[in-house]
Amino acid sequence: MEGEYELSFEGYTCPIPLVNDFTPDQFAEMVTTFKRYDADGSQTMGLDEMAKLLEDLDMGHAMEKAAELMALIDADESGELDFSEFCDFFSRLTRGDTALRGFNALAEALNETPVTILEVQAQRRKLLVDFRVVEERTATSMHAAHFVVECTLTGIWYDRDKGGKPSKFVG
């Protein structure tokens, strides 16, 4: 649909129903993770590749866990995870799907980006966060591709005036 928001990074595009589930940094981290563990470059992750991902996250018994995870998230039952299924998996993780409770280490990897840390801190302070992608910069020989994001915090917060008295701000 024209004018609809699209989330893409390095040739991978987030399925439209999931674009609001991730920040641009989280999506970039997902793409990077998917590409890192798609060892054969097939644009899918097989059981061995999934086991390697889980092993690197110290999830123990990687092959058993990988088979368990694959059974839960391989929507088309192909035995391999395509990128769309990978996105759906992370969306379910971030929404707290109880069927995926044992795989929280994967979601934690997404929550280490600066934007996500800001979202968590704002939520703790009952502030609303709104992000707008201002610019998408392509990779150069000196810098990785990245997004320039404008962030707006809205809510009530307190600061201290010059005399040390608390002052209330609404914004």
Side-chain angles (χ1 to χ4, degrees):
M1 206 172 164
E2 191 159 325
E4 196 165 340
Y5 179 70
E6 181 180 279
L7 192 56
S8 60
F9 181 74
E10 293 186 0
Y12 288 81
T13 301
C14 186
I16 294 294
L18 304 177
V19 295
N20 292 317
D21 292 355
F22 309 110
T23 64
D25 277 352
Q26 286 176 318
F27 185 73
E29 185 65 32
M30 276 180 19
V31 170
T32 302
T33 300
F34 186 82
K35 289 173 68 174
R36 182 180 316 128
Y37 291 97
D38 176 20
D40 62 4
S42 64
Q43 297 192 342
T44 61
M45 287 178 63
L47 202 54
D48 289 339
E49 294 162 321
M50 181 65 70
K52 177 67 176 146
L53 169 63
L54 297 178
E55 181 182 310
D56 287 354
L57 291 170
D58 294 324
M59 295 193 70
H61 302 66
M63 192 55 82
E64 293 168 18
K65 284 282 196 189
E68 177 187 341
L69 181 58
M70 193 67 80
L72 290 169
I73 62 176
D74 181 17
D76 62 8
E77 299 180 353
S78 65
E80 295 190 325
L81 204 62
D82 64 32
F83 187 70
S84 178
E85 291 168 323
F86 193 72
C87 289
D88 185 58
F89 165 56
F90 271 100
S91 175
R92 288 172 58 190
L93 272 176
T94 58
R95 285 185 270 128
D97 186 326
T98 57
L100 301 172
R101 199 173 330 187
F103 299 97
N104 290 339
L106 293 168
E108 289 169 12
L110 272 187
N111 291 330
E112 294 176 1
T113 66
V115 171
T116 306
I117 292 168
L118 174 63
E119 286 177 320
V120 168
Q121 291 298 319
Q123 187 177 35
R124 286 183 184 154
R125 291 164 175 77
K126 296 183 171 88
L127 299 172
L128 299 175
V129 181
D130 184 45
F131 297 99
R132 183 175 70 82
V133 177
V134 176
E135 181 181 349
E136 184 175 347
R137 296 187 181 168
T138 57
T140 67
S141 61
M142 305 262 311
H143 301 285
H146 62 276
F147 296 95
V148 176
V149 178
E150 180 180 274
C151 173
T152 305
L153 294 172
T154 308
I156 299 172
W157 63 91
Y158 297 87
D159 201 357
R160 298 198 179 272
D161 65 15
K162 291 179 184 175
K165 282 179 69 176
S167 299
K168 181 177 177 180
F169 293 93
V170 178

